[in-house]
Amino acid sequence: MLDSSVASMDSTEPGEQQGMAIGVPIRYFLLGDEERAQKQLALAKERCIASAMKRLSRAVVGEELYQQLQTAAPVLVTGSCGYLGSALLAILRDLGIKARGLDLMAPDTVENMAGDVGMEQVVQRAAEGCRSVIHAAALHAPNLDFYTEADYKHVNLGGTRHVLNVATAMGLSCVFSSTTSLMNTQKVKERSKSSTLVLKASEDYGTPRNIYGVTKKKAEQYCVDSGCSVAILRCSRFFCRGCL
């Protein structure tokens, strides 16, 4: 289990004193005024969900994977109103897999909890009765213009630490959604100018390009050090064709 002394970065603790506002949409760099941008974002998510559900129907998933998912249920999905989280929650429920969402924008019901993943007591309540967790909540690169370094540490570091602590204490298996941007650093860009590179997840490619990458890299180390049963997936973007 990760205590607060382990979970520091550059001597700055990702504490809980700066919680994210519940019910306030996360802001992106989308063009246009705020109202138009949020409508655009909502439409893009709907398209992503529809695309994902079409590609991951019960027939496509197959019986073996379906049974494995049943043994992992109920599944807690953090960031359940984001691109990845909303699609995962919809797919799981469409397959008949019990799942609970946790998000700043989630309707506060039995199956969806409105809350800040950067607050450990919130994660504890959300995880009650679950067998596994998919940790997709994060501030991403498209949010950089609107959030501070402290916000990124609160969500991406504090949130991951809390998820891992709760998963370890409750005996939950965990999937952590990381990013391929850790393999697209300035070092890689410079090397790729003169030669073809084969990127490996096990290799350290240097300092990430921004606070998003820095916090994701540190969060991966939290996973390694936690002792929790956790899989780290370095995911790319989740925009489907024609979404934006």
Side-chain angles (χ1 to χ4, degrees):
M1 182 174 291
L2 294 165
D3 60 31
S4 58
S5 64
V6 175
S8 62
M9 185 182 77
D10 299 331
S11 301
T12 302
E13 176 64 24
E16 300 185 347
Q17 70 277 9
Q18 293 183 326
M20 302 294 286
I22 308 301
V24 177
I26 295 296
R27 300 182 69 188
Y28 288 78
F29 61 53
L30 297 177
L31 299 176
D33 59 48
E34 190 69 19
E35 183 178 357
R36 178 174 177 271
Q38 289 301 327
K39 288 181 178 179
Q40 208 174 1
L41 193 61
L43 179 60
K45 286 180 183 178
E46 289 177 7
R47 290 174 176 171
C48 282
I49 291 171
S51 173
M53 291 179 68
K54 183 177 180 180
R55 289 180 285 114
L56 291 170
S57 64
R58 175 72 182 272
V60 174
V61 167
E63 189 62 26
E64 182 178 357
L65 180 54
Y66 171 76
Q67 292 301 330
Q68 290 176 355
L69 287 170
Q70 284 287 14
T71 62
V75 181
L76 171 62
V77 179
T78 70
S80 56
C81 293
Y83 274 92
L84 175 60
S86 59
L88 286 171
L89 201 62
I91 290 167
L92 289 170
R93 289 174 175 171
D94 187 60
L95 292 172
I97 307 298
K98 290 184 179 180
R100 179 180 302 150
L102 171 61
D103 197 281
L104 295 171
M105 293 298 294
D108 213 0
T109 64
V110 174
E111 295 184 341
N112 298 281
M113 182 172 168
D116 177 4
V117 75
M119 313 292 282
E120 185 158 0
Q121 68 271 28
V122 171
V123 180
Q124 288 175 336
R125 285 191 284 116
E128 289 178 1
C130 292
R131 291 181 180 176
S132 59
V133 54
I134 300 175
H135 181 36
L139 285 176
H140 296 270
N143 312 124
L144 285 168
D145 290 343
F146 304 104
Y147 297 93
T148 66
E149 183 174 304
D151 292 329
Y152 275 83
K153 291 180 179 181
H154 175 80
V155 176
N156 295 2
L157 294 183
T160 301
R161 174 164 58 93
H162 300 329
V163 167
L164 292 169
N165 281 347
V166 168
T168 300
M170 294 184 175
L172 312 182
S173 56
C174 180
V175 176
F176 172 62
S177 173
S178 189
T179 173
T180 53
S181 69
L182 301 185
M183 303 159 71
N184 189 26
T185 61
Q186 188 60 38
K187 177 181 176 181
V188 170
K189 287 177 177 281
E190 291 173 359
R191 287 172 58 187
S192 64
K193 291 178 182 178
S194 57
S195 61
T196 300
L197 295 179
V198 177
L199 301 178
K200 300 178 181 179
S202 59
E203 185 173 339
D204 189 335
Y205 292 100
T207 304
R209 293 172 292 165
N210 50 47
I211 189 62
Y212 167 60
V214 168
T215 52
K216 279 294 191 177
K217 184 175 182 179
K218 187 67 176 179
E220 282 193 1
Q221 192 59 50
Y222 286 3
C223 293
V224 173
D225 295 339
S226 69
C228 177
S229 175
V230 57
I232 301 171
L233 299 182
R234 286 186 174 175
C235 308
S236 56
R237 292 173 181 164
F238 305 106
F239 300 104
C240 63
R241 183 180 298 176
C243 277
L244 294 176

